[in-house]
Amino acid sequence: MSIIRITPDFTKPTGKIKPMHAVNNAPMFWTYCDTFHYLTEAGIPYARLHDTGGLLGGGIFVDIANLFPNFDADPADPQNYEFGFTDHLLRELNAAGVQPFYRLGCTIENYHPSIGPRRSIPPKDPHKWAVICEHIIRHYNEGWAEGYHMGITYWEIWNEPDNEPVIAENPMWRGTMEEYFTLYEVAANHLKSCFPQLKIGGYASCGFYEILNTAAATQANVSTRTGYFIEFFEKFLTHITSEGHKAPLDFFSWHSYASPMENIRFAAYAREMLDKYGFTETESILNEWNPGIHRRGTLADASAIASMLVAMQNSSVDLLMYYDATMESSYGGLFNPLTREPFKAYYSMVAFNRLYRLGTQYAFANETNGLLDTGVFALAAGDANGKRGIMVVNASSTTGQSNEVTLLIPDGTWQVSLLNEDHNLTPVSSCNGGETLILSPDCILLMEQ
């Protein structure tokens, strides 16, 4: 058992608590949204709309081919759009206080190698595709076609066009990288000219595993495929900064299913590359991540998720989006599909949100990227009214080690809540500075003052 000293310094602010507890999708069951109150209660800030509704977007949600099924039709005619089901979803998200992060494109076609692609073929006219996207944005933000004024900020152009270097094996983009670069260039310029106040970006990269070159990289399936991810990224940046092809990039989105410390390295690489090509103001958004579906429904999954939230708060990432908040997918680790109630992992989001609401992060004397010791992460926050919070994550299931935590905190009484096998972030006691608590493996501690 190790002794770990927690020494937050509430005289040293380090910046804002970032929206690390955003998600992909929502706990929708078919079209029933009665569980969306869980999103509200956890303060989920964004829900990225990708793979929404299952295969082919359920045939009805979000995807361009679902909203505008006949590409040869007139995009200026509202009669050619089928907004109904997506309207329903976005209204329910809006009522829950969750901002959509809208992916313009198609749902992944994982089944296609033996059947053939349906939606992942490059649009035959990139400019017309951009005009269709324009009208979808006008529907949700400007009231076009009996639409809404939802103020949706983020609009992402496609998802994982770099998924496979062999075109015939790519479930997201059955075209060349150059064809994607052209689509992005045309669409980003058109949409930014129409909506200069919105954030237009992409492209939801498959990630940067190739930079590790360690044993851990082998476990992350480093191969020629992951080398292609890097090649695609660098050539994309070269293309959209070259004369005659320049395009805006308000945010760059990417994916990773690696560990927190590896993701910190990936985030630094993404930031370095964006800055190198002049995109110093471009947001870096990790909008697909999951610590492992094999842990689904366990306390270990909750602590793994919580450690990622804390670690990435201390990285160069601006926004983090867990994949996935659905119930029917094996990647949906927040909700039990049988009971439609939260798994333990959901309460990691709730705990982080308590600190997110306070607004300002404060430093620890003995931490690096929120890491206090092997498998132990911590985050401190406060607001202008003197409210304070500390979140400690003992993600030590791999070692089976309990960690004795000595609380060296400012004077005063702290309310203690626990997320463990017996508690779902419920208040259990109060303590004063200098007291000692024992955190069992995978326990999450939240202290509030």
Side-chain angles (χ1 to χ4, degrees):
M1 182 182 295
S2 61
I3 299 176
I4 301 170
R5 300 178 182 274
I6 301 175
T7 55
D9 187 344
F10 285 102
T11 68
K12 293 183 178 179
T14 61
K16 292 183 178 180
I17 303 290
K18 296 178 286 188
M20 299 289 99
H21 56 317
V23 298
N24 280 252
N25 294 308
M28 181 172 58
F29 183 72
W30 297 106
T31 57
Y32 297 103
C33 304
D34 56 314
T35 50
F36 280 24
H37 65 91
Y38 288 122
L39 302 179
T40 306
E41 291 158 16
I44 301 300
Y46 295 96
R48 178 178 180 245
L49 304 181
H50 171 62
D51 294 342
T52 306
L55 295 178
L56 297 179
I60 54 178
F61 292 109
V62 175
D63 293 1
I64 301 300
N66 291 335
L67 271 62
F68 192 79
N70 179 8
F71 192 83
D72 294 325
D74 180 5
D77 186 350
Q79 298 300 315
N80 294 324
Y81 293 81
E82 297 182 5
F83 289 118
F85 285 93
T86 304
D87 285 357
H88 169 71
L89 171 58
L90 268 60
R91 283 196 305 266
E92 293 293 334
L93 286 172
N94 186 64
V98 180
Q99 175 84 189
F101 184 106
Y102 203 111
R103 186 271 294 125
L104 298 163
C106 69
T107 295
I108 193 168
E109 297 183 334
N110 281 317
Y111 57 85
H112 82 82
S114 62
I115 299 177
R118 293 290 304 278
R119 309 284 180 76
S120 56
I121 299 171
K124 57 186 178 182
D125 182 344
H127 182 263
K128 183 172 184 177
W129 188 86
V131 172
I132 294 166
C133 294
E134 170 201 340
H135 285 81
I136 291 172
I137 296 173
R138 292 196 188 282
H139 176 73
Y140 288 112
N141 279 1
E142 296 183 352
W144 181 77
E146 300 182 351
Y148 305 88
H149 294 83
M150 292 184 175
I152 300 172
T153 301
Y154 289 95
W155 298 87
E156 184 178 42
I157 299 174
W158 219 264
N159 170 80
E160 295 187 359
D162 58 342
N163 194 285
E164 286 283 354
V166 178
I167 292 175
E169 297 176 0
N170 193 326
M172 277 305 320
W173 183 255
R174 292 294 287 264
T176 65
M177 68 169 71
E178 291 78 15
E179 285 178 302
Y180 175 74
F181 300 162
T182 297
L183 178 70
Y184 183 87
E185 173 193 341
V186 171
N189 278 306
H190 178 76
L191 296 179
K192 198 64 179 175
S193 68
C194 295
F195 313 105
Q197 77 282 11
L198 300 184
K199 295 181 180 181
I200 310 298
Y203 53 84
S205 162
C206 284
F208 311 118
Y209 305 108
E210 191 75 13
I211 71 169
L212 294 177
N213 290 321
T214 63
T218 301
Q219 296 173 6
N221 299 317
V222 168
S223 64
T224 302
R225 177 174 178 254
T226 55
Y228 180 68
F229 302 162
I230 299 294
E231 177 188 2
F232 196 106
F233 181 39
E234 293 181 352
K235 288 183 176 179
F236 170 75
L237 294 176
T238 298
H239 180 92
I240 65 171
T241 55
S242 62
E243 288 301 322
H245 299 288
K246 290 184 179 180
L249 186 67
D250 294 321
F251 65 88
F252 177 73
S253 50
W254 52 282
H255 300 163
S256 175
Y257 289 83
S259 71
M261 306 318 291
E262 289 169 336
N263 284 333
I264 286 172
R265 291 181 62 183
F266 299 154
Y269 169 76
R271 184 74 270 158
E272 177 185 357
M273 292 297 293
L274 291 170
D275 291 350
K276 176 182 175 180
Y277 281 85
F279 293 111
T280 57
E281 300 301 315
T282 295
E283 295 178 32
S284 174
I285 300 177
L286 171 49
N287 65 4
E288 252 195 49
W289 66 276
N290 189 310
I293 61 175
H294 61 286
R295 298 191 185 100
R296 186 171 183 247
T298 67
L299 182 63
D301 195 34
S303 68
I305 288 172
S307 64
M308 182 74 81
L309 300 178
V310 173
M312 298 311 286
Q313 164 64 28
N314 293 281
S315 76
S316 57
V317 163
D318 297 291
L319 178 58
L320 194 65
M321 311 185 88
Y322 173 78
Y323 187 91
D324 193 293
T326 57
M327 290 187 182
E328 72 277 5
S329 169
S330 61
Y331 284 86
L334 302 183
F335 301 98
N336 188 325
L338 300 179
T339 65
R340 303 181 70 207
E341 295 177 344
F343 281 135
K344 293 286 183 182
Y346 165 79
Y347 297 99
S348 295
M349 300 287 188
V350 175
F352 185 87
N353 183 57
R354 300 268 188 89
L355 302 191
Y356 177 72
R357 290 186 304 179
L358 294 176
T360 301
Q361 180 181 3
Y362 288 88
F364 286 87
N366 57 332
E367 57 94 9
T368 302
N369 292 319
L371 182 67
L372 298 183
D373 200 350
T374 303
V376 181
F377 297 80
L379 180 64
D383 68 10
N385 298 317
K387 292 184 178 180
R388 297 171 179 177
I390 301 171
M391 179 180 176
V392 182
V393 185
N394 184 19
S396 59
S397 62
T398 56
T399 65
Q401 173 181 298
S402 294
N403 294 287
E404 184 176 290
V405 179
T406 301
L407 305 177
L408 298 180
I409 57 178
D411 292 336
T413 301
W414 294 77
Q415 178 66 56
V416 176
S417 300
L418 291 177
L419 175 57
N420 58 19
E421 294 292 359
D422 299 318
H423 298 280
N424 288 333
L425 206 66
T426 48
V428 295
S429 66
S430 60
C431 70
N432 295 306
E435 292 188 24
T436 300
L437 293 177
I438 306 296
L439 296 189
S440 59
D442 297 320
C443 177
I444 299 169
L445 170 73
L446 181 64
M447 297 185 296
E448 297 170 288
Q449 191 180 64

